Amino acid sequence: MGAVGLDTCLKRRVALFFDHSVPHTTGHYWAGGFRQLGCGVTVLYPSQAASLAPGSYDLFLSIDDATHYLFPGHLHPSAFSLSDTHMGYRADRVMARWFDFIFCVHKDGAARLKQDGIPRVSWVPVACAPELHVEPAASKRYDVAFVGGEGWGRRRRLVRTVRERFPNAYIGRASPRDMAGIYSESRIVFNCGIKNDLNMRVFEALASGACLVTNLDAAGLADLFEPGVHFAGYETDEEAIGQIERYLRDDAAREAIARAGRAEVLAKHT
């Protein structure tokens, strides 16, 4: 960003809308990012949008918090960061029509919205928060880690298999800061997206300096990272377990992938 553009950005007032009573939702990352740019940020609940006057902020940005509502049509420019098109597309599509701009986390979701006539849609994947991911731990505490909910279907099946096959594993929930520490102390971070989503765990694992083992069918993954270089990929359940076993045996290969993945994500995806 040039000097004039940065100077303009520093004077901007941004209204963010999401359920900020939830401590670890994505909107808090957006708020922190805007504040790092020097913008004036006000975080509001979506229900408060209707009471705002036109021109009271330079940007009205709604962050997906898994709820649905109709955004007031008198607030411009308005934008929506949409992250759950793989879960509730029909409602998301209706909601998206009320915004001037759509930033969609999922590549296939962005394409689908465009096909359905939603204007000004951009694919903007998630990223990592480098302030959480300090230098990787010198010694490793866990062989495998998975921080988050088991979900259902394939993910639940694979996470439970990982727990059974690799007893020295961390499987469970944690705060963002604890998650970063757990991943840093792990040789491998396992991931399985729900409905082929490119989730934040991909970026968090790479930033932590662990070797990421993740599903290859995540939409957009191959556009950003190279399998065998930045992460270890799998297609089948058997291949997922095999990749974990392989890279637990091969320290040199595992650490090479971990270093390359961390360098790539910190350079391009923060």
Side-chain angles (χ1 to χ4, degrees), residues 188 211 232 243-251 253-254 257:
I188 289 173
C211 177
Q243 289 286 57
I244 295 174
E245 292 174 338
R246 172 190 174 186
Y247 286 105
L248 285 178
R249 291 192 303 265
D250 194 336
D251 293 348
R254 183 185 69 245
I257 288 178

Side-chain angles (χ1 to χ4, degrees), residues 6-267:
L6 179 59
D7 181 65
T8 301
C9 182
L10 292 176
K11 299 175 183 177
R12 296 299 187 188
R13 299 164 300 157
V14 180
L16 297 183
F17 304 94
F18 63 96
D19 183 1
H20 48 279
S21 67
V22 179
H24 306 314
T25 190
T26 310
H28 295 292
Y29 290 108
W30 279 92
F34 277 117
R35 290 181 179 121
Q36 287 178 15
L37 287 173
C39 298
V41 178
T42 302
V43 178
L44 303 163
Y45 291 104
S47 60
Q48 296 177 279
S51 64
L52 298 179
S56 53
Y57 291 89
D58 298 298
L59 174 64
F60 301 90
L61 175 61
S62 182
I63 312 299
D64 193 350
D65 61 5
T67 63
H68 294 97
Y69 48 88
L70 300 182
F71 196 76
H74 66 283
L75 300 178
H76 304 283
S78 64
F80 183 25
S81 174
L82 182 53
S83 59
D84 285 335
T85 50
H86 63 306
M87 303 295 286
Y89 178 78
R90 290 183 179 180
D92 290 337
R93 181 185 60 192
V94 172
M95 186 174 170
R97 296 187 182 278
W98 291 81
F99 294 89
D100 299 320
F101 301 93
I102 301 296
F103 308 132
C104 189
V105 163
H106 303 300
K107 184 179 181 180
D108 52 355
R112 191 176 178 185
L113 287 169
K114 290 177 182 179
Q115 291 171 358
D116 285 345
I118 304 298
R120 294 179 294 278
V121 177
S122 300
W123 175 41
V124 182
V126 289
C128 69
E131 65 272 14
L132 292 178
H133 302 280
V134 296
E135 288 299 315
S139 60
K140 302 299 183 180
R141 182 178 178 184
Y142 305 106
D143 288 333
V144 189
F146 175 91
V147 174
E150 290 185 2
W152 61 88
R154 187 188 191 195
R155 177 192 279 185
R156 175 175 291 181
R157 182 174 68 248
L158 276 172
V159 168
R160 291 182 175 181
T161 301
V162 169
R163 181 186 286 114
E164 293 170 1
R165 295 284 293 272
F166 306 98
N168 184 30
Y170 182 98
I171 308 290
R173 296 185 180 274
S175 69
R177 191 161 298 280
D178 288 343
M179 170 272 300
I182 291 165
Y183 285 170
S184 176
E185 295 179 326
S186 300
R187 295 176 178 85
I188 289 173
V189 170
F190 176 74
N191 180 53
C192 180
I194 293 178
K195 295 187 177 180
N196 79 324
D197 67 313
L198 181 58
N199 58 32
M200 194 174 291
R201 189 177 297 103
V202 167
F203 300 85
E204 293 166 340
L206 293 172
S208 72
C211 177
L212 170 67
V213 174
T214 191
N215 53 301
L216 285 166
D217 60 353
L221 177 64
D223 295 279
L224 307 181
F225 306 107
E226 184 177 351
V229 175
H230 303 122
F231 69 96
Y234 65 86
E235 293 180 346
T236 66
D237 290 15
E238 294 75 16
E239 192 176 5
I241 301 304
Q243 289 286 57
I244 295 174
E245 292 174 338
R246 172 190 174 186
Y247 286 105
L248 285 178
R249 291 192 303 265
D250 194 336
D251 293 348
R254 183 185 69 245
E255 292 306 312
I257 288 178
R259 286 193 299 271
R262 176 176 163 82
E264 185 73 5
V265 77
L266 291 180

